[in-house]
């Protein structure tokens, strides 16, 4: 018994991520209950003040020391990236502290209710696995940031700008934690939708993938069996609605911050690819004192890291949406297989038609694979325009 109490709820499984988020100002609520106090809010607002002060001072330092040495084609992309990065992260911490702090408790509350009905005796095993995955994620992202920082500051940090790059990496840590929060919550939803679909299929004793041409007729079910199956369908219908509500809350909490974060990643990718091409084609030295190979290597690392973040965000949203909307296909197939529960399944199908899951960046664009296609085309266009200036 003592072993299982360590993984008794959703909070315990993501406790490490919540504690680190709290330190960085991204979790203005209790890590064990989700309740927000005035001290949590005041701490997050203090982080906002420190970050804002640091941003203004570092931007002034760059204007006085870095930018006079650079050409306009290098200075403008860098200034734009710095400005969007700072605004993105400060706005995210501010929104979490002021507007969304109570929504996180609602999200975890809905997921807890779903887990109680859906996981059953597997809950401790699943929570333990979630905790292990969370720890591995934290270690991987910390090591990546540490390695890149070690090489990055050796190339870019000179003439006393080392402190400026410490600030940059604190911002990167906040951005990475924001990214991990969102993708983990979305993948958690995807896993719960998958379990719900599996239970829905198991009700009918076979996997419902296609109709083929064999439709079994269920004429000999007793009234008790019908009642049990009907009650289970209604329970799954309620769980699906709770998961949809949790997804809407996640969309509401992260939508605007995702918009600014993805805008930053987009601009940063253009800047990094542009710098790489400028150095390779020898259009500009960028005032760097290290070799071309070292500089290009670190730029490629940043390109891969930022591409990976964009792909992970889009892929997690695509997977969760597909799994949630797969329930509709299952229910429509079951309508042709199970005549005894037609009325109940029709109500479920009608609900699913009106509650289709879709993640978006505050309504500006949908987060799925089409987003990656659009970004690839836009980056190519802007790179051609920038290179023409050289």
């Amino acid at each position: 018994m003592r072993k299982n109490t360590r993984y008794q709820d959703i909070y315990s499984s993501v406790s490490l991520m919540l504690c680190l988020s709290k330190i960085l100002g991204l979790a203005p609520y209790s890590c064990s209950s989700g309740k927000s106090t005035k001290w949590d809010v005041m701490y997050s607002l203090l982080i906002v003040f420190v970050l804002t002060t640091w941003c203004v001072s570092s931007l002034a330092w760059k204007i006085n020391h870095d930018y006079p040495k650079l050409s306009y084609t290098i200075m403008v992309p860098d200034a734009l990236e710095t400005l969007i990065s700072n605004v993105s992260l400060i706005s995210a911490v501010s929104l979490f502290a002021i507007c969304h702090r109570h929504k996180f408790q609602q999200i975890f509350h809905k997921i807890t209710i779903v887990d109680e009905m859906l996981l059953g005796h597997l809950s401790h095993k699943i929570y333990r696995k979630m905790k292990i995955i969370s720890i591995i994620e934290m270690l991987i992202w910390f090591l990546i940031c540490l390695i890149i920082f070690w090489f990055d500051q050796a190339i870019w940090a000179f003439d006393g700008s080392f402190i400026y790059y410490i600030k940059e990496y604190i911002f990167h840590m906040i951005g990475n934690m924001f990214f991990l929060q969102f993708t983990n919550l979305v993948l958690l939803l995807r896993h719960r939708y998958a379990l719900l679909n599996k239970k829905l299929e198991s009700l009918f004793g076979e996997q419902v993938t296609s109709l083929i041409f064999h439709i079994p007729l269920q004429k000999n079910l007793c009234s008790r069996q019908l009642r049990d199956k009907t009650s289970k369908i209604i329970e799954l219908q309620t769980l699906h609605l709770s998961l949809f509500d949790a997804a809407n809350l996640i969309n509401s909490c992260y939508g605007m911050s995702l918009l600014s974060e993805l805008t930053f990643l987009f601009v940063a990718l253009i800047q990094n690819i542009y710098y790489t091409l400028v150095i390779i084609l020898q259009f500009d030295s960028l005032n760097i004192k290290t070799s071309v190979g070292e500089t290009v290597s670190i730029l490629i690392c940043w390109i891969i890291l930022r591409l990976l973040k964009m792909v992970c965000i889009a892929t997690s949203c695509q997977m969760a949406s597909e799994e949630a909307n797969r329930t509709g296909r299952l229910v429509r197939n079951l309508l042709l297989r199970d005549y005894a529960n037609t009325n109940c399944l029709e109500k479920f199908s009608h609900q699913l038609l009106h509650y289709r899951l879709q993640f978006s960046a505050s309504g500006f664009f949908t987060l799925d694979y089409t987003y990656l296609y659009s970004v690839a085309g836009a980056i190519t266009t802007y790179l051609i325009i920038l290179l023409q200036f050289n």
Side-chain angles (χ1 to χ4, degrees), residues 58-59 61-62 66 82 161-168:
S58 63
L59 186 60
W61 192 94
K62 290 194 77 171
D66 274 353
T82 302
S161 61
F162 181 77
I163 293 184
Y164 164 75
Y165 284 97
I166 292 178
K167 167 258 172 186
E168 285 293 294

Side-chain angles (χ1 to χ4, degrees), residues 21-166:
S21 298
K22 193 176 185 68
I23 294 171
L24 296 172
L26 288 172
Y29 47 83
S30 170
C31 297
S32 58
S33 64
K35 293 181 180 179
S36 179
T37 65
K38 63 178 182 180
W39 300 111
D40 295 322
V41 177
M42 287 176 65
Y43 176 77
S44 292
L45 292 177
L46 177 63
I47 295 292
V48 170
F49 175 76
V50 172
L51 293 177
T52 305
T53 306
W54 208 344
C55 286
V56 172
S57 60
S58 63
L59 186 60
W61 192 94
K62 290 194 77 171
I63 291 172
N64 292 325
H65 293 84
D66 274 353
Y67 290 157
K69 306 171 186 176
L70 302 175
S71 63
Y72 285 106
T73 54
I74 302 300
M75 180 183 67
V76 173
D78 183 78
L80 187 61
E81 184 210 359
T82 302
L83 183 64
I84 294 175
S85 169
N86 295 344
V87 171
S88 171
L89 294 176
I90 291 172
S91 63
V93 178
S94 301
L95 286 171
F96 280 18
I98 299 170
C99 303
H100 303 318
R101 62 184 184 276
H102 298 300
K103 292 181 181 179
F104 290 99
Q105 186 180 11
Q106 297 175 39
I107 292 169
F108 287 124
H109 177 68
K110 288 183 179 295
I111 294 174
T112 300
I113 292 173
V114 170
D115 287 353
E116 288 175 355
M117 302 173 68
L118 201 59
L119 300 184
H121 65 282
L122 296 173
S123 61
H124 298 300
K125 181 180 179 181
I126 290 173
Y127 289 147
R128 184 171 63 250
K129 188 181 295 185
M130 285 175 60
K131 191 176 185 71
I132 293 171
I133 292 173
S134 176
I135 292 171
I136 293 172
E137 285 177 346
M138 298 298 114
L139 289 174
I140 289 173
W141 279 105
F142 178 77
L143 286 174
I144 289 173
C145 286
L146 191 64
I147 291 170
I148 293 181
F149 173 75
W150 183 263
F151 291 102
D152 210 13
Q153 61 87 23
I155 293 174
W156 299 96
F158 50 85
D159 296 337
S161 61
F162 181 77
I163 293 184
Y164 164 75
Y165 284 97
I166 292 178

Side-chain angles (χ1 to χ4, degrees), residues 103-313:
K103 292 181 181 179
F104 290 99
Q105 186 180 11
Q106 297 175 39
I107 292 169
F108 287 124
H109 177 68
K110 288 183 179 295
I111 294 174
T112 300
I113 292 173
V114 170
D115 287 353
E116 288 175 355
M117 302 173 68
L118 201 59
L119 300 184
H121 65 282
L122 296 173
S123 61
H124 298 300
K125 181 180 179 181
I126 290 173
Y127 289 147
R128 184 171 63 250
K129 188 181 295 185
M130 285 175 60
K131 191 176 185 71
I132 293 171
I133 292 173
S134 176
I135 292 171
I136 293 172
E137 285 177 346
M138 298 298 114
L139 289 174
I140 289 173
W141 279 105
F142 178 77
L143 286 174
I144 289 173
C145 286
L146 191 64
I147 291 170
I148 293 181
F149 173 75
W150 183 263
F151 291 102
D152 210 13
Q153 61 87 23
I155 293 174
W156 299 96
F158 50 85
D159 296 337
S161 61
F162 181 77
I163 293 184
Y164 164 75
Y165 284 97
I166 292 178
K167 167 258 172 186
E168 285 293 294
Y169 274 83
I170 291 175
F171 270 63
H172 289 316
M173 288 175 64
I174 297 174
N176 288 337
M177 190 57 62
F178 172 84
F179 159 76
L180 289 173
Q181 275 190 19
F182 178 74
T183 52
N184 275 282
L185 284 172
V186 172
L187 290 174
L188 187 148
L189 284 179
R190 188 256 176 192
H191 178 258
R192 300 306 188 262
Y193 275 120
L195 289 178
L196 186 147
N197 290 334
K198 188 175 180 181
K199 282 188 176 291
L200 185 61
E201 289 179 326
S202 67
L203 282 179
F204 297 87
E206 57 181 302
Q207 200 171 25
V208 185
T209 52
S210 61
L211 290 176
I212 312 178
F213 289 102
H214 175 66
I215 302 177
L217 300 179
Q218 301 182 5
K219 296 181 179 178
N220 301 320
L221 289 174
C222 66
S223 59
R224 182 174 180 181
Q225 288 176 313
L226 285 174
R227 285 196 302 270
D228 289 344
K229 187 175 285 188
T230 301
S231 65
K232 288 180 181 178
I233 293 173
I234 294 173
E235 180 181 299
L236 293 177
Q237 183 179 355
T238 305
L239 291 177
H240 197 282
L241 186 59
S242 295
L243 286 173
F244 183 83
D245 290 340
N248 271 344
L249 285 168
I250 292 172
N251 250 332
S252 174
C253 288
Y254 290 90
M256 186 58 70
S257 301
L258 269 176
L259 177 62
S260 56
E261 177 68 12
L262 290 171
T263 303
F264 159 68
L265 290 174
F266 174 72
V267 173
L269 269 175
I270 293 174
Q271 184 208 40
N272 292 151
I273 298 173
Y274 174 62
Y275 283 179
T276 304
L277 293 174
V278 163
I279 293 172
I280 292 174
L281 299 174
Q282 297 181 349
F283 290 152
D284 197 316
S285 66
L286 302 183
N287 198 32
I288 297 169
K289 299 178 180 178
T290 55
S291 67
V292 172
E294 291 177 337
T295 307
V296 170
S297 298
I298 196 64
L299 285 170
I300 290 174
C301 287
W302 277 117
I303 291 169
I304 293 172
L305 187 62
R306 282 159 177 162
L307 272 175
L308 185 63
K309 289 176 74 172
M310 294 178 80
V311 170
C312 286
I313 289 172

